[in-house]
Every structure is written in structure tokens, then in C-alpha cells.
Amino acid sequence: MARRTRSSAWRSAVCLSAQPKLSDLDDTVLQGLVATFRHRKLAADEARRRGADPLSREGFEALGREIASREAELRDANARGDCTATHFDFDAMMTVLDAGLNIAFGSLGDRRLHLAFVEAELDVMTIVKDRHSGNTRPTPSPPTKEDLRMDAVSRPKQERIEAPSPEQILEGWKTDQAPTEKTFYTFSSKVRRWTAFLAERGVTFESACLSDASDWKIASLVDRSAKSVSNDLYAVKAIYGWAVANGKCPVNPFTGLKQPKAAVKGQRRSTKRDFTDAEAVCILKAARDRTGYRRWVPWIACFTGARISEICQLERADIITSKGMHYFRMTTEYDHEGEGTETSDMKKTKKNLKNHSSKRIIPVHSRLIREGFLDFISRSNSRDLFSDATPDRFGNRGGNATKVISRWVREKLEIKDSRISPSHSFRHRFSTLCKNFGVPPEIRDRLMGHSSCDASELYGEDYSIQRYVRRWRRFPHRLDSHKSLVWEWVGRQDSHPAQGRPRPLSKPLFLHALHFVRTCS
């Protein structure tokens, strides 16, 4: 039987692209397509062996190698449930095109059909290998519509099991994976956004395909940032991944979907900028007139580069003094177990860190000590250092504190540049200064709690506090020619108690002011 040319197949595909896409197939249609596919494969092999000229010895041996390679590929695909082995096979495409079907790529029907093609071609390989051994195995006649109808009638109809709802899948994922309350809340909201999009186009959660996922991504990018859309895709893909692995959904429509370009890690820098010198000083000076976390969180963020959430959850026990050195211990609520620290079942606040690398120690800068931070700790009677920061619905103090500080910076201090993140720009600035003053990348990453791509970081213990302090002292101690400018810039003339003159700076009045002086030099 003559095979149609690839140009003819292309014309058929163009004509079918205008037809509505199918996301699922009736069992009768599926069996008919599989039978037609089997016939095509066997007829093509017979035509190659029974053509006008016999196969040459070299051609015969090459065909044997081709059969062995194809069989190995199909067995691997069948074992892994990978339907791509037949997705772009010429006979498979022609079978679908001749049937006049426009099946949505990545849909449930698409996967079912091409997995059936994989199984059918494995059966065909048994016949082909038998032929290659010299046995006669004739090609059966192509199935007729009547044959397919009778076959469908003779088979008992299977009851269709109702697919679980997105809510049931989320509950199953929650029970199995035990995410934090905040993670479950975040993932649930993203799944609801996805299901609302599907409802608008009349598609169910379990029948969604790659095309739906791609359309959602593109539609979301119209009014949301690439990073936000990337987070949505990550969350919903994770839920589908769990559902597929546990037999709740047939396919993951987000498999193979590319992330928004701007959200690819390492491709471009953050769109948020550092605080300028003037902005940093404005915030620090204004914070002196406030109390509690409103007073100290901006200063600690400036001098440590720590996240607001990490600062707000500090306890008094997290400020450690060892051999005359003071440092913060960024840790979780479970790290004090067995240390004799008071615990309470009634405690509603939680201590969480972003990742494993966030567990670290950070030296308390001398400027914080001169500001009276250690005195503030000694006067505190509460276990939590910033008990005035009200926990949010998830028990985290940093959630509400971030909102309060952000509103204060933008509304009271009128720092309204959209490129600034009031809760994160000090962290950006700290990283920039570490680079400018030659702090090695591995030390900078540990101080800031960044994850490292180096597998060696998974072994051994953390750097010692002495190592951190030595690197801390790499920053210049004095700028005699600019000393008066430094004092004026900070806006606080602390007098030395004995000599009645400005206190000499053993370390610069915070790194930001020092950087400003050097920039102006």
C-alpha cells in the first residue's frame, strides 16, 4: 500500500488545525485508531520486504539493528509510561490525520492514544522479528467500521469513576505531604485561580492539557509580574505532580511548560534596588523615635542583611555572647529543645526559616551595640524579643510587622519609589556592600542565609564566629580625612565620656554611610 507523502500530511494537519480540539477519546474511536496504526506498521514492513527488489545483505543487517533499537526504545517508554516514543511517529500522525481528529496536545485523550500506540507497536515488533527470522506472518486486513462497532458491543462497558475534585486533591496532598499552614493556604489560592481560569473555558481540572497551562501563563502575564506567575506555575505543577503520582489525575498539564523568561533563575538581576545613602539614613534616624520592633528591626536589617521575618521571630536566647563577642543565632522554634529553654503549649507564635541555609549566626555589629541594642535586650522581660509584633493568622510575627514597616516607610517617610521593597531593600544593600568591600562569596552567602549550589556545603559544620568577625573587620576602621563628614551624615554627635569629643570609630558608622563617603570622595 502506497504511503502518503509528508507534504500531504502537512496539508492535512493545516486543515485540521481549524477544527475544535478534542481532550478525550471514546473507547471505540481509540480502539479503531490503534487497529489502523497496527495495520500501517505491518503493511509498511511487508512492503519493505516484498518490494520489487530484495533487501541487500547490508540493508537486511541494518534493518535488524533498527528493529532492536526501536524495540528497546519502546520497552523503556512503556515501562515509564512515556508516550513521546510514538508522538512524532509518521504512521501514528497519519493515523490521526486520516481519521480527521484534532486532539489537544498533552490532553488526557492524547496521552491515552499514544500510550496505546506504544503497546500496539510492541506487539507489532513481535511479528516483525518473526518475519526477520524467516517466518511468514501475513499482514491482516485493515479493520472495517463494522468490525470496530461489533468489538465495542462485545466488550463490557466499564463504569466511569468520577474524578476527585481539586479540593479533594488538595486535602490528599496536605495529608500526605504535611505542608505548613501558610504553604497550604498559598498553594490553595493558586489552585483556585487556575480552576477559575479552566471554568471560563469549560475544562475540568483532570482534563486540562498543556495548551490550557500555556494559555493561563500568557493571560496571567498581562497584569502580574513574571515572578508571581512563576510562583503560580510552580505551585499548581506540584499539586498535579502529586495527583498523577497517586493516581488522582492522568497527566500533569504543566510538564514541559517553560517558565516566564524574566523568572528564570540567574537570567537577570532583581528589579528591586538598594536603599540609597539618604534613604537609609532617613529611615535609621526616624526609627530612633520609635519603640519595640519599630525601633530595632530597620537597624538590625541594615547591619545584618537578615530577612524581616527572621528578625521579628528572635528570642532573647538567640542573642549569644561568647568570648566577648555577640552574635545573632537564626534558628527555628525546635532548635531549643533539650537546652532547658522554657516552652509553652499555649504559645501561638512560630519560628520558621526560608531554607536550611538560613540557619546561621551573624555578628552583632558594634554600631548596634553603641545604639543600645544590648541594653534593650537586658531590659526585656519577655521570651520573645519583639513581643509587640502581633502574629499573623499563621503565627508568624514577621507578616504583620512587614506591613507596618512598609506603610511607615512609604506614607510617613514618603519613600515611594516602586523599585524599593521597604522590607527587603536593606538586604539588597547589605549584599552590595559585602561585594564592594571584598567579603568572599561563601561568607556573604552564609551571613545572608542564601542557598549554595556547591554540594560540599552539605557536609561539615558552619563557620566559627571568630571567622565571621575577622571578615567583619576587613571593612575600613577610619576615614580621618572624612571623619567630620561621617559624623554629620549620621546626624548623631556621640561624645566620648572622658575627653568630651566625638567618639573615635573603631568600625565605620555602618557600612552604608561609609560607602556614601567613598562614593563622594
Side-chain angles (χ1 to χ4, degrees):
M1 183 180 66
R3 302 177 70 182
R4 295 171 61 184
T5 63
R6 297 184 183 272
S7 60
S8 176
W10 173 252
R11 287 194 296 270
S12 298
V14 172
C15 294
L16 286 177
S17 64
Q19 296 186 11
K21 290 185 178 181
L22 302 176
S23 59
D24 203 354
L25 294 174
D26 180 79
D27 287 345
T28 304
V29 175
L30 182 66
Q31 292 299 323
L33 292 171
V34 170
T36 303
F37 174 73
R38 287 171 56 88
H39 173 77
R40 281 183 176 276
K41 284 293 183 185
L42 289 172
D45 180 73
E46 183 173 338
R48 182 157 44 179
R49 298 176 189 276
R50 297 291 183 263
D53 298 316
L55 289 171
S56 65
R57 176 56 56 186
E58 292 79 7
F60 179 78
E61 293 175 354
L63 179 59
R65 292 191 295 271
E66 179 184 332
I67 292 171
S69 175
R70 180 60 175 170
E71 183 183 21
E73 179 185 2
L74 290 168
R75 290 193 181 282
D76 176 71
N78 194 41
R80 296 185 294 108
D82 182 7
C83 63
T84 58
T86 57
H87 235 132
F88 303 104
D89 179 86
F90 181 77
D91 290 311
M93 290 191 292
M94 290 308 306
T95 299
V96 176
L97 290 174
D98 283 349
L101 300 176
N102 186 15
I103 304 173
F105 183 81
S107 65
L108 171 62
D110 181 66
R111 177 173 170 77
R112 287 179 60 211
L113 175 63
H114 286 89
L115 282 177
F117 281 169
V118 170
E119 296 172 356
E121 191 172 353
L122 274 173
D123 291 338
V124 167
M125 281 296 170
T126 303
I127 300 175
V128 170
K129 288 193 299 181
D130 210 13
R131 287 175 176 176
H132 210 66
S133 299
N135 298 319
T136 301
R137 297 293 298 271
T139 300
S141 301
T144 63
K145 293 183 178 180
E146 184 64 20
D147 293 335
L148 295 174
R149 189 188 69 80
M150 292 303 296
D151 181 57
V153 172
S154 63
R155 286 184 286 105
K157 188 174 181 180
Q158 296 182 349
E159 293 185 5
R160 188 176 182 87
I161 301 176
E162 185 177 353
S165 66
E167 291 74 19
Q168 291 173 322
I169 292 175
L170 279 167
E171 285 298 327
W173 173 75
K174 178 182 179 181
T175 302
D176 185 25
Q177 299 298 307
T180 64
E181 184 181 358
K182 185 173 183 179
T183 299
F184 179 72
Y185 174 83
T186 302
F187 276 42
S188 298
S189 65
K190 297 180 186 304
V191 169
R192 285 194 296 270
R193 188 179 293 119
W194 162 245
T195 53
F197 174 82
L198 294 178
E200 292 178 356
R201 49 175 54 194
V203 179
T204 60
F205 187 84
E206 73 279 0
S207 64
C209 63
L210 179 61
S211 177
D212 296 315
S214 177
D215 291 345
W216 185 49
K217 177 185 71 172
I218 294 171
S220 300
L221 287 170
V222 174
D223 54 4
R224 307 184 71 228
S225 69
K227 182 177 181 181
S228 297
V229 174
S230 179
N231 291 337
D232 289 351
L233 300 181
Y234 171 81
V236 181
K237 181 179 180 180
I239 297 300
Y240 267 109
W242 180 89
V244 171
N246 289 272
K248 307 299 183 183
C249 279
V251 294
N252 186 340
F254 290 84
T255 299
L257 182 67
K258 298 293 185 181
Q259 291 283 359
K261 186 175 182 181
V264 175
K265 186 175 182 180
Q267 190 167 50
R268 60 181 253 181
R269 294 184 180 275
S270 170
T271 56
K272 299 299 181 182
R273 68 167 177 83
D274 308 352
F275 281 124
T276 64
D277 298 291
E279 290 165 344
V281 171
C282 174
I283 294 171
L284 296 182
K285 290 175 64 178
R288 285 178 175 150
D289 299 328
R290 296 158 70 84
T291 59
Y293 77 90
R294 295 173 176 84
R295 162 68 170 97
W296 290 109
V297 166
W299 279 81
I300 296 174
C302 283
F303 283 85
T304 64
R307 303 175 180 93
I308 301 298
S309 59
E310 296 172 335
I311 299 171
C312 290
Q313 68 185 15
L314 286 171
E315 301 175 0
R316 292 178 62 196
D318 292 328
I319 315 301
I320 310 298
T321 300
S322 175
K323 298 180 181 179
M325 293 175 289
H326 310 282
Y327 60 92
F328 298 95
R329 179 172 61 176
M330 299 300 179
T331 182
T332 67
E333 59 186 329
Y334 306 106
D335 290 336
H336 292 315
E337 292 181 0
E339 295 184 9
T341 305
E342 177 187 359
T343 59
S344 172
D345 295 335
M346 300 300 293
K347 186 178 179 183
K348 297 181 180 180
T349 56
K350 297 180 180 180
K351 295 181 67 178
N352 298 301
L353 295 175
K354 185 175 182 179
N355 50 51
H356 180 75
S357 298
S358 297
K359 298 178 72 171
R360 63 198 190 280
I361 55 177
I362 309 175
V364 178
H365 197 281
S366 59
R367 185 59 195 173
L368 282 175
I369 297 175
R370 291 202 299 275
E371 283 289 316
F373 178 63
L374 297 183
D375 295 334
F376 165 75
I377 296 173
S378 63
R379 292 194 302 268
S380 176
N381 296 321
S382 173
R383 169 183 172 171
D384 294 324
L385 201 56
F386 300 115
S387 56
D388 56 328
T390 307
D392 60 16
R393 60 181 297 173
F394 307 111
N396 300 318
R397 295 191 185 278
N400 290 331
T402 295
K403 296 175 183 176
V404 171
I405 292 174
S406 295
R407 285 196 297 266
W408 173 66
V409 169
R410 295 199 180 281
E411 297 174 7
K412 182 69 174 179
L413 303 183
E414 298 185 347
I415 301 176
K416 299 181 179 181
D417 190 336
S418 60
R419 295 172 298 166
I420 285 176
S421 172
S423 60
H424 221 59
S425 285
F426 273 129
R427 184 169 168 82
H428 283 260
R429 183 177 177 81
F430 185 87
S431 177
T432 300
L433 291 167
C434 284
K435 296 172 187 176
N436 291 341
F437 287 109
V439 176
E442 65 273 14
I443 297 289
R444 183 180 75 241
D445 288 344
R446 292 302 300 125
L447 285 171
M448 301 188 67
H450 283 154
S451 298
S452 173
C453 297
D454 188 352
S456 65
E457 290 294 316
L458 301 177
Y459 300 89
E461 297 185 0
D462 202 356
Y463 293 104
S464 67
I465 184 63
Q466 290 83 357
R467 177 84 181 273
Y468 285 131
V469 171
R470 284 198 299 271
R471 289 298 178 183
W472 218 242
R473 289 171 179 167
R474 289 194 60 176
F475 296 101
H477 286 199
R478 298 175 63 89
L479 282 177
D480 293 337
S481 60
H482 297 287
K483 187 178 298 184
S484 60
L485 177 58
V486 171
W487 285 117
E488 179 182 356
W489 181 248
V490 175
R492 184 174 183 180
Q493 296 288 342
D494 285 333
S495 296
H496 194 283
Q499 288 80 6
R501 54 182 173 80
R503 187 192 306 268
L505 294 180
S506 59
K507 297 183 181 69
L509 223 189
F510 191 49
L511 309 180
H512 308 323
L514 175 59
H515 185 236
F516 171 78
V517 171
R518 285 205 155 184
T519 302
C520 295
S521 300

